[in-house]
Amino acid sequence: MVLAGAAHFVIENMGGLVRGIILHHYTSTMILITGAGGKTGRSLTAALSTVESVCAFVHREEHASLLKALGAKKVVLGDLRDLTAVREAIQGVRAIYHICPNMRPDEVEIGKLVINEAKNAGTEHFVHHSVLHPQIETMPHHWAKLRVEEMIFQSGIPFTILQPAPYMQNLQAGWKGITEEGVLRVPYAVDSKFSFVDLKDVAQAATIVLMEKDHKNAVYELAGTLPTTHREVAGMFSRALKREIRAEREEMETWKSRAAGLSAYAMENLIRMFEYYDAWGLAGNTKVLQWLLGKEPASLETFIEGMVRGN
Ligand SMILES: NC(=O)c1ccc[n+]([C@@H]2O[C@H](COP(=O)([O-])OP(=O)(O)OC[C@H]3O[C@@H](n4cnc5c(N)ncnc54)[C@H](OP(=O)(O)O)[C@@H]3O)[C@@H](O)[C@H]2O)c1
């Protein structure tokens, strides 16, 4: 419930000045972040904890102290498929930021459980961490997010859906090949076009939609860059490292042998994702994120320069 006396703050916690967030005062202030132990949840916990109390739902004991150190006021240890654990975590929170763990065959079931419990508890605001273009049926982890979005619409809970582009941080996985061999390898066409987004901008946008009152019943695509090819990304690494880095397509069989430790579901989904990326890339538009943040989103060139400096 929103009470009178909204205040205007400027937050600087993400390394750059962002526009003031209109903070509203709620009777219950805590916000639950599910899937909080992963890279998305950690980034959001760090940003949101500067302005609001966070309850972090984590899967592993070692993540509890990590999330506390990032600012979480409360940590619930459990499994998102466990009704009792989810019910306990939702008690007393005013909003939920739902992050489904990556590549889950039961993403729709997990979403259903969290939405039902949110509805039963009278949660005021449900924010779903979705993905850019969940409409793509040939990518099951995108399609599952669309099904969850549909359940949210039909729950009657005021919602906001955020659909982030691939994170710039994903490029860190290729660092060894870039620095040791001078090659940025991807298992799809190096001229397919992608929009990228800095996870810090995603966390900032999430904080804004959770803290301002005007973002209910909205769906926002979060892309931080214009469509860019991996050949162009390799050029950015070349400039930042002051040596030639070339983009190269990795054969699927080579990728499969490197990815041998993945679950069968993750392996199959990633292959389908690479096939889609090969044909179509994943291109979005930066206007919505720019409007939400009140500033230009982080550029890929700047992010890569930061990577090279060791940030
Ligand atoms: N990466 C991108 O570019 C991108 C872009 C847009 C959207 N997304 C979406 O963002 C979401 C989060 O991705 P992420 O990379 O941040 O995830 P992540 O790093 O894989 O983190 C997921 C967290 O959830 C935990 N978890 C796993 N199974 C669980 C369960 N049954 N109950 C409770 N917690 C469980 C994991 O713990 P364990 O370590 O114990 O498994 C991990 O701490 C995904 O849905 C993804 O599709 C990603």
Side-chain angles (χ1 to χ4, degrees), residues 19-266:
R19 73 134 189 252
I21 297 179
I22 312 292
L23 295 178
H24 285 267
H25 302 289
Y26 297 89
T27 44
S28 162
T29 59
M30 195 164 271
I31 295 176
L32 171 66
I33 303 176
T34 62
K39 57 180 171 295
T40 309
R42 292 183 207 181
S43 186
L44 177 55
T45 300
L48 187 58
S49 295
T50 63
V51 290
E52 185 62 290
S53 303
V54 167
C55 172
F57 192 106
V58 298
H59 196 217
R60 295 188 202 204
E61 201 148 4
E62 65 261 35
H63 286 158
S65 52
L66 183 68
L67 270 291
K68 282 258 180 195
L70 288 171
K73 197 165 185 180
K74 180 179 168 190
V75 175
V76 173
L77 181 64
D79 192 306
L80 282 168
R81 297 164 299 183
D82 176 4
L83 187 135
T84 311
V86 172
R87 187 168 289 170
E88 185 204 322
I90 288 178
Q91 284 315 309
V93 305
R94 72 161 168 91
I96 298 174
Y97 191 93
H98 178 51
I99 304 168
C100 185
N102 212 5
M103 296 288 164
R104 293 288 315 199
D106 47 9
E107 179 152 4
V108 175
E109 288 73 26
I110 288 175
K112 190 173 181 182
L113 192 157
V114 178
I115 295 163
N116 279 344
E117 287 307 305
K119 187 171 178 175
N120 293 340
T123 305
E124 294 170 35
H125 190 189
F126 195 101
V127 183
H128 181 221
H129 190 85
S130 182
V131 70
L132 186 66
H133 301 173
Q135 301 89 341
I136 300 162
E137 195 171 358
T138 56
M139 291 200 276
H141 64 301
H142 281 231
W143 189 244
K145 286 180 169 59
L146 193 72
R147 301 273 69 83
V148 173
E149 292 182 14
E150 194 177 4
M151 287 191 285
I152 295 167
F153 299 153
Q154 293 169 5
S155 72
I157 309 171
F159 64 85
T160 311
I161 290 166
L162 299 182
Q163 300 176 332
Y167 306 151
M168 293 179 187
Q169 281 75 3
N170 297 348
L171 291 167
Q172 285 158 347
W175 184 242
K176 198 167 183 283
I178 291 166
T179 52
E180 293 181 8
E181 299 168 65
V183 183
L184 170 64
R185 280 195 190 86
V186 287
Y188 40 83
V190 297
D191 290 313
S192 288
K193 292 189 174 181
F194 295 84
S195 288
F196 297 91
V197 67
D198 189 334
L199 194 42
K200 287 182 179 169
D201 281 345
V202 175
Q204 197 58 61
T207 301
I208 288 167
V209 303
L210 283 160
M211 299 308 298
E212 291 188 347
K213 73 177 172 65
D214 299 326
H215 300 287
K216 302 247 172 89
N217 309 317
V219 182
Y220 298 145
E221 290 188 349
L222 304 181
T225 71
L226 293 173
T228 306
T229 67
H230 281 81
R231 198 186 295 282
E232 290 164 335
V233 176
M236 294 179 201
F237 276 107
S238 299
R239 287 191 286 282
L241 287 163
K242 299 187 179 22
R243 56 182 271 230
E244 201 204 329
I245 306 296
R246 65 176 201 284
E248 194 177 282
R249 183 200 186 110
E250 180 175 39
E251 289 309 318
M252 197 66 90
E253 290 311 312
T254 317
W255 178 83
K256 278 186 195 166
S257 61
R258 279 200 304 115
L262 290 177
S263 70
Y265 179 84

